[in-house]
Amino acid sequence: MQPGQLLRFRNRTWISLPSDDPNLLLLQPLGGSEEEITGVYLPLQLPNQRIEPDTFPLPALQHLGNFVTARWLFEAARLSFRQVAGPFRCMGKLSFRPRSYQMVPLVLALQQETTRLLLADDVGIGKTVEALMILKELLERGEIRRFAVVCPPHLCEQWQSELADKIDIHAPIVRSGTAAALDRTLPHEVSSIFAHLTAQVISIDYIKGDRRRELFLHDCPEFVIVDEAHTCARPAGATSPSQQQRFHLLHDLAADPRRHMLLLTATPHSGKNDEFQSLLGLLKPEFERFPIDSLSETQRRQLARHFIQRKRENILRWAGEDTAFPRRESSERAYTLSEAYRRVFDDTLAFARKLVAEPTGDARQRMRHWAALALLRGVMSSPAAGEDMLRRRLDKALAELDAETVAAAGRNILDQAPQDPDEAPAEWLDLAGIDHEDVQDLAALLANVSALRHESHDAKAATALKMLRTWVAEGFMPIVFCRFIATARYLGEWLRTQLPKDVQVEVLTSETPDEQRREAITALDRHPKRLLVATDCLSEGINLQHSFTAVLHYDLPWNPNRLEQREGRVDRFGQDAPVVRSAVLWGSDNLIDATVLKILIQKVREIQRTTGVSLPLAEDHQGIMDAVLDKVLFQAKDDTSGRQMALFEEEFVTRQLEEAKERALRLRSIFAHSSVSQEDIEAQLEEVDEAIGDVGSVERFTLGALAHLGADAQPKGRGYVFSPVNLPPGLRYFFQDKEQQVQVSFASPTPKGFRYLGRNHRFTEALCRFMLSVAMDPHPDFPSIARAAVIRTTSVSRRTVLVLLRIRAVARERGGSQRQSVAEEMILWAQEQGETPRLLAHAEAKRLLLEAQPSGNLSAEFQQKSLQSALDLLPDWQELFLDAARARADHLVEAHARYRALAGGRQYETVSPILPPDVLGVYVLLPG
């Protein structure tokens, strides 16, 4: 049986599909979904269930109907196609229409025999979408059968949702709370859940340990996506992979050169070349030895094939296409400490300086520096954070920490020191080697900090409240990011008492389990006025653009990239609001904030604004962060803007930032996206749109079909609202019984409160199948869909016959694989009749189908006579139909040739049409 052939089996018409086993015949019902694909094992075929060639029935006089409904037949047919007649196989299986810039990583992936890419696009551009397209393309091509998404635990549900919503793949989550239940579903002969599941989302913290890592490596799928890959870099100075469990896992996965891997991160370079190169080495081992600061042209070209990073400015109008990002309004809001808080700050600073007064150069001294910083930041974050930190230290018996214990603990912590001082644990104060004589000073500090828990003393909280009240009143929904858990709780409790009662306030910290965080955000989303107070547990990877529109940095982070990560939760593709706001809260007389803001963050943001590059800043002891720390701890108390500060900026920070800028620009020169033809990608997308329908086709068809079935949709904002009550039960099933009004939108990003209807939405699929079914087999309970019609119209000057043709073709790869796939496509064939008949181009025929309007009434007898004359010509036109099908096959050959020039690296493909094409409809247009 030839793939694409129509067959009759069990009183139903099927399409044969390619099969790797000659004894297994794969069949898909004509007009059916992929879920209905059936396998017939030919050696066991029953004698009374013969499989025979079938033909598609031609339109007849009984199919006469309203010409307008022919549009719904045409759109239903092409929107139901899942096997795309074009080089990019995934396009028919996506629930969204990708932007042209999002196709670039797919092109780069297809240029490689084994896909290895580091996707490092800016926060919010769409790395997840890009990864899903690559995944779906490799699945459709048969190059992979199984895959795993490996991500931080708090992103598991988000990935599970994205896979289901965007490419209709339902992947179980594998982590501590689900593994036991999944293991109970295993067949006896299967070694592990990793071998059993074809699709899986795995918490990296669940499999990074030695025992589970070895099991996963043994049963790992062919394709692995790693999200937040920067957290898996090997720490600077490490000499073996085992010094970082996450890196050890990825290192071993990458050791198999046949494994496809995608690494996703918005911050690939932390400022340390060693760590960045450890990620590059996962793509190709030799990349780890490349001199990043002095690449040769050959090395640059080699890296460019595996590494892509784009700023938002690069793609705002890529290929002439507008990309919907909100406009960000950023500001800085200063506050002045109260007298009481000022005295506490001075006392804390004095104590911190005492901690580091005697430099020893050993691990203990290094920890004292960070402990002093942690104490200062805690006290200046909030009275609650300072009180929590000081009380915990006083509760610990100093006698339990002798010098040897402290030194050992110090060495252990320093071996695993985080890059980012924003991530330095507050518990370092507990290990700083505070002497017994310091206890009295700590007790006094604790008493003074505790006394600050009063509204009049906390000018920082009062300033934040004023700003948040304004934002909420103007319709913004803010997230307030805090550095410390205690600060988040303290601020959340106070805001609940100060904001209007109709504003729902929620507090989420790292102490809240991942599942409860997700549930809390979902519950908060139901309130029209809402505010979220959170720690940085929500600052990376989480998509919050549908729920929030503003970010307040309550605690100033020391790493400018942290600001971008936080703001990227709301300022990203898919944000429906045209404007988002962000504000940095800082103390104008707070030495820490003044130093960090004025000499670091403002300078970095200015460089980013003028050059369009993010600065990867190192935070080791030789970098800017250490210099800022020294500045805070050792400069004179009253010198926040004098000569020493100016010299510090000029002589050190400016030089360090300039070096970081040059490093970032050198990295930018590696990127390969500029070598990908924008015009070629856009041309490919336009051909796909024509073959399977674009967003406008989905909207046009759905609204027309709903109206045809008595469920008129009325415009509402950027969407529509309709009642599903009058829909047939099989379509009403997709909406809950209690839903009297359903709000839908075809726009992306989707407006708040609307559900998105794309071509692969299950309701859209069911609506297409229903309309096709009614057209082929009319039912008295439902309005008919015309397979034939006759109208008089001013759109033509001569009698014109319009024929809807459905063609199938088999695409076959040359070379060893000989993989085959069946592609479907609609052709609009039209002939203008007369003494010299003229064939119309597809675009002209489509215009007639979609735009021609009846201009007068015709008797039923006249319609039947005119239609019969057209039906009598169908046998004579068969050769013309075959020519049209062959021409489309030739066109696909040309498209594959253009694709080969674009993507390269894949074997050339041949296309053979399945003849004859199916005649879905015949329509006669008479001059009006």
Side-chain angles (χ1 to χ4, degrees):
M1 303 292 181
Q2 182 184 8
Q5 185 178 356
L6 287 184
L7 300 173
R8 191 73 179 172
F9 177 58
R10 292 184 177 178
N11 297 318
R12 192 172 184 182
T13 301
W14 306 74
I15 299 174
S16 62
L17 301 178
S19 173
D20 295 333
D21 186 345
N23 289 321
L24 182 64
L25 178 63
L26 295 180
L27 300 174
Q28 181 173 349
L30 183 63
S33 67
E34 287 190 322
E35 295 174 348
E36 299 177 88
I37 292 177
T38 300
V40 179
Y41 189 60
L42 296 178
L44 298 181
Q45 183 182 355
L46 299 177
N48 61 340
Q49 293 187 352
R50 298 181 59 189
I51 301 174
E52 300 177 335
D54 198 6
T55 57
F56 191 77
L58 295 173
L61 292 179
Q62 64 264 31
H63 293 125
L64 263 173
N66 185 350
F67 174 75
V68 172
T69 64
R71 300 164 187 170
W72 318 142
L73 175 59
F74 168 71
E75 299 289 18
R78 66 175 182 155
L79 289 173
S80 65
F81 294 155
R82 294 296 174 264
Q83 307 296 335
V84 178
F88 293 111
R89 311 275 182 79
C90 68
M91 300 304 292
K93 308 294 181 68
L94 306 178
S95 65
F96 58 94
R97 200 278 195 183
R99 302 278 173 158
S100 56
Y101 76 85
Q102 292 171 331
M103 297 290 293
V104 174
L106 175 58
V107 171
L108 294 181
L110 293 177
Q111 289 175 350
Q112 306 171 25
E113 286 302 318
T114 300
T115 299
R116 291 284 177 98
L117 277 180
L118 175 56
L119 302 185
D121 280 342
D122 231 358
V123 174
I125 286 180
K127 292 182 292 296
T128 300
V129 166
E130 294 165 352
L132 292 178
M133 286 198 300
I134 294 171
L135 165 63
K136 193 64 173 174
E137 183 73 15
L138 295 183
L139 286 169
E140 291 303 309
R141 289 175 172 273
E143 297 189 21
I144 63 170
R145 296 182 180 276
R146 302 169 55 240
F147 73 91
V149 176
V150 178
C151 62
H154 67 281
L155 297 180
C156 287
E157 279 82 9
Q158 184 169 288
W159 268 102
Q160 184 184 53
S161 176
E162 293 287 275
L163 285 163
D165 293 344
K166 290 185 168 59
I167 57 175
D168 198 25
I169 291 179
H170 300 271
I173 294 174
V174 182
R175 60 183 174 197
S176 300
T178 64
L182 290 172
D183 283 337
R184 288 194 291 270
T185 67
L186 290 180
H188 293 298
E189 68 277 8
V190 178
S191 60
S192 74
I193 194 67
F194 306 122
H196 179 60
L197 295 174
T198 57
Q200 48 198 306
V201 177
I202 309 174
S203 163
I204 191 169
D205 289 341
Y206 177 74
I207 56 168
K208 69 182 181 183
D210 291 341
R211 183 175 63 85
R212 294 193 185 106
R213 183 182 69 242
E214 294 305 319
L215 190 60
F216 179 63
L217 290 171
H218 182 269
D219 297 327
C220 183
E222 315 96 281
F223 185 48
V224 177
I225 298 172
V226 182
D227 198 9
E228 302 296 338
H230 62 279
T231 65
C232 305
R234 184 177 56 211
T239 57
S240 70
S242 61
Q243 289 182 264
Q244 217 278 5
Q245 286 185 312
R246 291 185 176 188
F247 178 76
H248 191 192
L249 170 66
L250 264 60
H251 178 272
D252 291 347
L253 287 174
D256 184 349
R258 299 165 299 175
R259 178 165 290 120
H260 303 268
M261 292 183 69
L262 287 181
L263 309 181
L264 314 184
T265 173
T267 53
H269 201 304
S270 66
K272 299 177 181 179
N273 282 348
D274 288 350
E275 295 181 1
F276 176 57
Q277 287 175 280
S278 73
L279 291 179
L280 294 181
L282 300 175
L283 307 175
K284 277 193 171 184
E286 58 266 31
F287 289 173
E288 189 166 0
R289 299 185 294 273
F290 280 12
I292 294 301
D293 291 334
S294 56
L295 292 170
S296 68
E297 190 57 37
T298 299
Q299 291 170 332
R300 196 180 304 278
R301 284 197 301 268
Q302 290 175 336
L303 277 178
R305 297 184 62 231
H306 300 268
F307 181 37
I308 181 168
Q309 184 181 46
R310 295 168 293 182
K311 300 293 292 179
R312 182 180 298 186
E313 293 77 10
N314 301 137
I315 51 87
L316 280 175
R317 283 192 56 79
W318 205 80
E321 179 183 49
D322 286 323
T323 301
F325 287 109
R327 175 169 55 87
R328 187 190 304 183
E329 295 179 351
S330 300
S331 62
E332 298 167 359
R333 183 66 63 89
Y335 66 91
T336 303
L337 293 173
S338 67
E339 285 299 322
Y341 222 129
R342 176 79 250 179
R343 288 192 297 271
V344 168
F345 174 72
D346 290 343
D347 293 343
T348 306
L349 181 59
F351 182 81
R353 286 173 171 165
K354 181 181 176 182
L355 279 180
V356 298
E358 299 178 2
T360 62
D362 58 10
R364 177 170 173 173
Q365 177 63 26
R366 176 72 173 154
M367 290 181 60
R368 284 188 169 219
H369 274 76
W370 285 107
L373 174 64
L375 177 59
L376 282 168
R377 297 182 75 182
V379 170
M380 297 316 297
S381 174
S382 70
E387 184 179 4
D388 179 72
M389 193 176 296
L390 291 166
R391 189 179 301 280
R392 187 173 59 246
R393 185 62 192 89
L394 283 173
D395 288 346
K396 185 178 286 290
L398 291 176
E400 295 177 4
L401 287 176
D402 57 34
E404 182 179 348
T405 303
V406 171
R411 285 192 298 271
N412 182 57
I413 287 183
L414 289 175
D415 285 343
Q416 305 178 38
Q419 300 175 17
D420 192 341
D422 290 320
E423 298 174 1
E427 290 78 4
W428 282 16
L429 182 63
D430 300 342
L431 301 173
I434 295 175
D435 299 326
H436 287 275
E437 56 265 26
D438 295 327
V439 171
Q440 187 174 355
D441 292 337
L442 281 171
L445 273 177
L446 175 59
N448 292 335
V449 169
S450 299
L452 295 175
R453 282 180 172 269
H454 190 275
E455 179 181 348
S456 61
H457 294 320
D458 196 345
K460 180 180 181 181
T463 304
L465 173 63
K466 184 177 180 180
M467 177 178 290
L468 293 170
R469 276 177 174 162
T470 301
W471 282 1
V472 170
E474 293 176 352
F476 288 90
M477 292 163 284
I479 305 176
V480 183
F481 279 107
C482 303
R483 167 70 178 87
F484 298 97
I485 294 174
T487 298
R489 290 175 178 165
Y490 160 82
L491 184 62
E493 292 171 2
W494 189 63
L495 289 176
R496 288 190 182 105
T497 67
Q498 301 298 314
L499 289 171
K501 298 301 182 184
D502 60 345
V503 179
Q504 185 69 19
V505 177
E506 182 64 73
V507 177
L508 294 178
T509 72
S510 57
E511 292 183 336
T512 311
D514 296 333
E515 179 65 20
Q516 291 183 23
R517 288 185 219 164
R518 188 172 63 85
E519 293 174 355
I521 292 173
T522 300
L524 188 61
D525 200 34
R526 291 193 285 266
H527 295 272
K529 292 184 178 181
R530 52 187 174 271
L531 185 148
L532 175 63
V533 181
T535 58
D536 281 314
C537 66
L538 293 183
S539 68
E540 286 192 2
I542 300 291
N543 297 335
L544 298 174
Q545 70 272 22
H546 299 299
S547 303
F548 301 96
T549 55
V551 169
L552 174 61
H553 304 279
Y554 191 77
D555 290 326
L556 195 63
W558 278 49
N559 189 342
N561 293 331
R562 177 75 64 182
L563 291 175
E564 194 66 25
Q565 285 284 358
R566 289 173 173 179
E567 292 170 7
R569 299 313 98 218
V570 301
D571 184 8
R572 60 193 300 115
F573 184 77
Q575 172 61 260
D576 188 47
V579 176
V580 297
R581 284 186 181 169
S582 70
V584 172
L585 195 63
W586 69 287
S588 59
D589 54 352
N590 175 342
L591 185 60
I592 299 178
D593 284 0
T595 303
V596 172
L597 182 72
K598 290 184 178 298
I599 69 174
L600 182 58
I601 290 178
Q602 289 179 344
K603 283 181 173 289
V604 168
R605 286 196 155 184
E606 177 61 21
I607 291 173
Q608 291 174 342
R609 185 186 65 81
T610 56
T611 66
V613 298
S614 295
L615 299 191
L617 297 180
E619 291 100 357
D620 60 10
H621 66 281
Q622 296 178 342
I624 293 176
M625 292 298 130
D626 214 46
V628 172
L629 173 62
D630 291 340
K631 177 69 176 172
V632 170
L633 292 178
F634 298 119
Q635 79 161 29
K637 286 194 303 181
D638 57 350
D639 184 27
T640 60
S641 59
R643 186 177 62 83
Q644 291 185 32
M645 177 74 78
L647 289 174
F648 181 78
E649 290 187 56
E650 182 65 29
E651 295 178 1
F652 187 82
V653 175
T654 301
R655 183 176 69 252
Q656 292 287 311
L657 293 181
E658 186 64 27
E659 291 176 2
K661 183 183 75 172
E662 292 302 319
R663 183 168 55 243
L665 289 172
R666 282 195 296 270
L667 287 177
R668 293 271 301 170
S669 68
I670 298 173
F671 306 150
H673 67 270
S674 58
S675 64
V676 177
S677 169
Q678 301 180 16
E679 293 75 15
D680 286 349
I681 285 182
E682 191 59 30
Q684 295 277 4
L685 284 177
E686 289 174 358
E687 287 206 13
V688 170
D689 287 344
E690 183 55 47
I692 65 174
D694 58 8
V695 175
S697 304
V698 178
E699 181 173 1
R700 186 167 56 241
F701 164 73
T702 305
L703 297 180
L706 288 175
H708 188 70
L709 297 174
D712 284 283
Q714 301 301 317
K716 182 178 179 181
R718 294 178 58 212
Y720 300 87
V721 60
F722 72 93
S723 171
V725 174
N726 293 331
L727 292 178
L731 297 176
R732 200 166 57 240
Y733 160 81
F734 293 92
F735 308 102
Q736 300 177 10
D737 293 337
K738 63 182 180 181
E739 291 186 271
Q740 299 300 314
Q741 296 292 314
V742 177
Q743 295 188 143
V744 299
S745 177
F746 308 94
S748 180
T750 306
K752 187 70 177 177
F754 289 74
R755 67 183 69 187
Y756 175 71
L757 287 187
R759 69 182 306 275
N760 278 5
H761 191 282
R762 289 180 177 265
F763 172 72
T764 308
E765 288 184 340
L767 187 59
C768 288
R769 290 199 300 270
F770 179 82
M771 300 297 273
L772 286 169
S773 175
V774 172
M776 303 305 159
D777 187 16
H779 193 285
D781 293 341
F782 306 119
S784 63
I785 303 295
R787 291 189 65 194
V790 179
I791 64 168
R792 196 176 297 280
T793 176
T794 57
S795 297
V796 298
S797 57
R798 289 197 292 172
R799 175 188 170 98
T800 302
V801 179
L802 183 63
V803 181
L804 303 188
L805 296 177
R806 176 173 55 191
I807 65 171
R808 286 178 297 279
V810 176
R812 183 179 299 105
E813 290 189 4
R814 287 182 177 176
S817 69
Q818 287 289 307
R819 294 192 188 98
Q820 299 181 85
S821 63
V822 177
E824 294 182 290
E825 189 176 7
M826 287 296 297
I827 295 178
L828 288 171
W829 184 94
Q831 185 188 73
E832 193 178 76
Q833 298 182 320
E835 293 184 6
T836 56
R838 180 177 73 92
L839 292 180
L840 276 60
H842 174 83
E844 190 174 357
K846 182 180 176 183
R847 180 185 60 80
L848 290 177
L849 177 70
L850 299 183
E851 298 178 9
Q853 296 292 333
S855 59
N857 295 324
L858 298 174
S859 67
E861 182 181 1
F862 182 80
Q863 291 183 55
Q864 292 178 359
K865 182 178 179 180
S866 297
L867 176 61
Q868 188 60 58
S869 66
L871 296 177
D872 291 342
L873 289 172
L874 289 180
D876 299 334
W877 287 339
Q878 278 301 311
E879 193 58 40
L880 295 176
F881 295 162
L882 298 181
D883 289 343
R886 294 188 187 104
R888 287 305 302 170
D890 291 341
H891 178 78
L892 288 177
V893 171
E894 295 171 2
H896 282 293
R898 293 194 304 273
Y899 158 81
R900 180 172 170 79
L902 176 67
R906 289 292 189 264
Q907 294 294 318
Y908 186 77
E909 298 176 271
T910 59
V911 180
S912 304
I914 304 300
L915 303 176
D918 302 330
V919 178
L920 266 64
V922 177
Y923 308 95
V924 180
L925 284 67
L926 304 174

